Amino acid sequence: MSEPDISSQTRRRLRFWHIAGILLILLLGAFAVYRLVGHVRFKGRFNEVRAAGLPVTLTELDQWYQGPPYGENAADYIMEALSYLQTSDPNQPGKLPTLVGV
């Protein structure tokens, strides 16, 4: 009598693993479809922005805008000020950085 019980348990296990496998495949398929739809929507929006004449890559952005003339950008003043900074010698750890020529 124990043989029919074993075969019914084996059938249940196979059914459980089949169902788990099918669910896993369905979840992976749903995720793949979700990613594909998102990619298509992103590409569509990307093309809309490009069609509007706006930059969509960093290279296009760099070519698209014009930098302000010298003196209207605070970064110019900061870069000039940093040119006067002299760092200390690593062999002299107690010496602090100084500004020269100011």
Side-chain angles (χ1 to χ4, degrees):
M1 281 198 190
S2 63
E3 290 182 25
D5 291 335
I6 293 173
S7 64
S8 66
Q9 287 178 354
T10 305
R11 286 184 189 164
R12 284 187 207 156
R13 281 190 195 148
L14 290 177
R15 287 183 186 160
F16 172 75
W17 289 112
H18 282 107
I19 291 171
I22 289 170
L23 285 175
L24 180 63
I25 290 170
L26 287 173
L27 285 172
L28 290 174
F31 180 72
V33 168
Y34 171 76
R35 294 283 298 187
L36 183 64
V37 168
H39 181 71
V40 169
R41 286 183 180 172
F42 174 75
K43 282 291 190 182
R45 181 68 179 135
F46 194 80
N47 291 333
E48 287 175 13
V49 170
R50 181 170 275 154
L54 298 173
V56 291
T57 63
L58 292 176
T59 305
E60 291 175 2
L61 178 64
D62 192 38
Q63 294 170 354
W64 183 64
Y65 72 89
Q66 294 179 356
Y70 185 81
E72 291 186 18
N73 189 354
D76 296 328
Y77 295 114
I78 293 170
M79 294 301 293
E80 185 178 341
L82 287 176
S83 69
Y84 293 110
L85 181 66
Q86 290 186 351
T87 57
S88 62
D89 186 12
N91 296 328
Q92 299 174 347
K95 192 173 179 183
L96 297 175
T98 57
L99 292 175
V100 288
V102 179

